[in-house]
Amino acid sequence: MSTSSLLLALLGDARLPSGGHTQSAGLEPALRAGTAPAEVPAYLRTRLRTVTRVEAGTAVVARAVAAGGGDLGEVEAAWAARTPSQALRANGRRLGRGYLRVLQTLWPSPLDAGAPAWSRPVVLGLLAHRAALDPADLARLIGYDDVQTGAAALLKLVPQDPLLVTAWVNGLLPDIEAMAGQVAHLDTPEQIPAHGAPLIERWAETHDTTTERLFSA
């Protein structure tokens, strides 16, 4: 097994203290809006083709820009322009702070002092550069994390057979691989995909003001 594969296993582990356990990949508001549990695989597949693809593309570009000594602020701005929902942007930056702690602990650099409040994909791109995680594995990590986040949240929101949910995740692995292949070659902010998901964005905005909820997003 390559070092990159081992790093992928480490970073994809749900026990990593990154704050991901506070998220539902937007599933909680989707269920509140009437999405049925049986529709969850289709919901997660839609995310892979839209908001998750944007995040994966952003991370891959951030990795390339970091490797070239470029300005990650430009990557952050490109991600923000492709993320219309203020709630999703705020959540992405909260998650970014969690991953920044991982970066500063495992792959520290003096350059991290006073680091801006970058989003999760930008921080993961910088982390991938320092950890020598290849672009395709970085995109796989983001896709897998998104799918597993939604799957794990479902088990808490609407009790299901865990093996059924695991089978759903297994069925989505080809979609994750396809998404990773579509973004792994990107290296400039202009190339980051711009795929909108208006309903997911609307649900995120509604969820942001909901007082009785299990997950923050």
Side-chain angles (χ1 to χ4, degrees):
M1 183 180 291
S2 70
T3 302
S4 186
S5 297
L6 290 170
L7 281 171
L8 185 61
L10 170 68
L11 295 171
D13 193 320
R15 293 166 293 187
L16 189 74
S18 63
H21 60 280
T22 67
Q23 313 301 306
S24 72
L27 186 61
E28 185 172 19
L31 292 172
R32 283 179 178 269
T35 300
E39 297 174 306
V40 169
Y43 169 79
L44 294 174
R45 185 171 286 112
T46 297
R47 285 184 61 89
L48 283 170
R49 294 172 178 171
T50 55
V51 294
T52 310
R53 189 177 178 188
V54 172
E55 290 225 338
T58 300
V60 169
V61 168
R63 179 191 180 279
V65 169
D71 182 7
L72 288 174
E74 294 181 4
V75 185
E76 178 74 18
W79 168 80
R82 291 159 174 78
T83 309
S85 165
Q86 181 177 351
L88 289 180
R89 292 196 304 272
N91 182 60
R93 287 168 179 149
R94 281 196 298 269
L95 289 175
R97 288 195 294 271
Y99 276 105
L100 186 60
R101 291 181 60 238
V102 174
L103 175 68
Q104 292 171 335
T105 301
L106 301 182
W107 296 279
S109 167
L111 299 176
D112 294 336
W118 284 322
S119 60
R120 168 179 173 263
V122 172
V123 175
L124 277 174
L126 179 58
L127 185 155
H129 162 57
R130 291 195 193 160
L133 188 70
D134 71 50
D137 275 348
L138 173 58
R140 291 184 185 106
L141 168 66
I142 289 178
Y144 178 78
D145 182 69
D146 197 74
V147 167
Q148 280 285 39
T149 295
L154 179 64
L155 295 175
K156 297 177 181 178
L157 293 164
V158 183
Q160 301 285 314
D161 180 352
L163 287 179
L164 173 63
V165 176
T166 299
W168 289 349
V169 172
N170 185 58
L172 288 165
L173 294 182
D175 296 88
I176 295 172
E177 188 66 27
M179 183 275 293
Q182 291 161 358
V183 302
H185 66 284
L186 305 181
D187 57 13
T188 66
E190 295 78 13
Q191 295 173 326
I192 298 172
H195 299 292
L199 196 53
I200 290 176
E201 293 157 4
R202 176 184 173 185
W203 287 338
E205 292 296 319
T206 301
H207 190 68
D208 198 42
T209 59
T210 299
T211 56
E212 296 180 3
R213 58 185 181 177
L214 185 60
F215 297 98
S216 65

